[in-house]
Amino acid sequence: MKETLQFLVELQELEDSLRSLTQMRKRRESLEIENAETLEFFETMLTEREAALSEVSTFCKEKNSEIEEAEGNARRARSRLSQIKSQRELTALNKELDTARRTNLARSEELAKLTEQLEASQTDYEKKKAEHAALVEAMADTQKALTESIDAAEVAANDQRTRQVEIKKQVDRTLVSRFERILRGRDGSAVVLMNNETCSACRMNVSPQVYIRLQRMETIENCDHCKRLLVFRAVLEESTSA
Ligand SMILES: [Zn+2]
């Protein structure tokens, strides 16, 4: 009987191990999708910022050439000063120069603001770019670690499946069917290791009769509530070391 109970516990451990492999595979799959979505979102944002940056940069250049052009005009106007023949022409020219000065002052202020904005945006963009690189690296690390765990579990899985077959040959056929039925019905958990009268799977107390029989370890017991197969840990460990 003790051997059968040990087999049951081992069968459950094998199931847990194989199930964890399946879960890791699923996690990797969903992680890949999630990561791709996150990166796509991030990269779209970066592209938008790049476009905004280049727009501001173009605007700055335009402003700059406007200023240069106006300065050229002012220089030419000033060179005409020597050819002025009348007070009227002088007044007109001064007015022209004055307007040019004011326009350029306004443009220079605009340019200063734009340049400031451009620098701030550039700094922010560089920061986001670094965040993106760090994210890509972190994602790769996580995926690498997960893949390593999966690879190791896959190697172990072959032996585990062989062991399952071996054990099932040695355990009573009816008990194997019972184990498999509970396994399907209880989400992959058919055997419960008990430390006291509480079923550690469903958290309910088993009846006193079951509890007594459990400790005697002469029969295969079910939890009264979740119907999982019960094994009393202390007695089992005692028998293992003996
Ligand atoms: Zn239970």
Side-chain angles (χ1 to χ4, degrees):
M1 181 51 67
K2 276 167 193 168
E3 200 192 15
T4 305
L5 292 173
Q6 276 164 355
F7 277 149
L8 280 177
V9 171
E10 198 183 340
L11 274 181
Q12 183 60 55
E13 283 167 359
L14 290 166
E15 282 299 329
D16 291 345
S17 201
L18 290 166
R19 193 175 59 240
S20 126
L21 172 60
T22 312
Q23 283 166 348
M24 283 195 289
R25 282 193 185 124
K26 276 186 198 153
R27 204 164 85 226
R28 180 168 60 183
E29 229 174 86
S30 57
L31 198 66
E32 274 167 9
I33 295 167
E34 274 171 40
N35 286 356
E37 280 171 0
T38 307
L39 285 183
E40 199 193 331
F41 179 78
F42 210 130
E43 279 151 16
T44 305
M45 182 198 71
L46 282 178
T47 310
E48 280 167 6
R49 289 192 182 208
E50 266 170 52
L53 270 178
S54 103
E55 206 179 317
V56 178
S57 168
T58 307
F59 210 45
C60 279
K61 277 183 203 136
E62 277 171 14
K63 214 31 89 178
N64 225 342
S65 53
E66 275 175 28
I67 291 171
E68 275 166 14
E69 196 194 337
E71 276 169 356
N73 289 343
R75 258 195 312 280
R76 277 190 294 279
R78 273 193 299 275
S79 70
R80 288 202 323 262
L81 267 172
S82 53
Q83 296 148 34
I84 297 282
K85 288 186 187 76
S86 69
Q87 181 61 41
R88 199 170 55 84
E89 275 178 20
L90 182 66
T91 310
L93 187 61
N94 275 335
K95 207 172 164 188
E96 199 182 314
L97 282 170
D98 201 40
T99 308
R101 214 168 16 246
R102 264 182 283 135
T103 310
N104 250 13
L105 187 66
R107 281 176 184 159
S108 296
E109 277 166 5
E110 268 178 68
L111 181 64
K113 269 185 208 152
L114 278 173
T115 308
E116 200 181 311
Q117 191 193 331
L118 184 64
E119 277 164 9
S121 304
Q122 240 149 9
T123 308
D124 190 50
Y125 176 73
E126 293 307 326
K127 205 176 120 200
K128 287 275 177 287
K129 204 75 184 158
E131 279 172 20
H132 176 261
L135 186 64
V136 168
E137 202 182 323
M139 282 174 173
D141 284 350
T142 310
Q143 272 175 330
K144 188 168 168 266
L146 189 56
T147 298
E148 279 168 5
S149 303
I150 291 173
D151 290 347
E154 272 167 358
V155 171
N158 287 325
D159 290 344
Q160 286 163 351
R161 288 194 194 97
T162 312
R163 181 72 184 143
Q164 276 181 328
V165 175
E166 255 173 45
I167 295 176
K168 284 179 184 175
K169 271 185 208 157
Q170 295 179 65
V171 178
D172 173 64
R173 214 179 249 281
T174 328
L175 184 58
V176 171
S177 317
R178 203 164 135 200
F179 170 83
E180 286 172 345
R181 200 172 51 246
I182 302 169
L183 204 62
R184 281 194 298 274
R186 293 279 170 222
D187 222 11
S189 146
V191 179
V192 178
L193 272 170
M194 304 269 287
N195 297 311
N196 46 42
E197 69 270 35
T198 309
C199 166
S200 40
C202 72
R203 306 278 159 206
M204 300 286 277
N205 281 0
V206 297
S207 65
Q209 303 93 300
V210 168
Y211 191 51
I212 290 164
R213 288 203 298 268
L214 196 58
Q215 292 172 84
R216 282 197 199 126
M217 214 180 260
E218 286 165 355
T219 45
I220 304 287
E221 296 301 324
N222 278 98
C223 171
D224 304 303
H225 310 280
C226 71
K227 304 297 171 205
R228 286 181 178 94
L229 303 168
L230 303 176
V231 179
F232 201 63
R233 192 196 293 270
V235 187
L236 189 73
E237 280 166 3
E238 226 169 76
S239 71
T240 320
S241 56

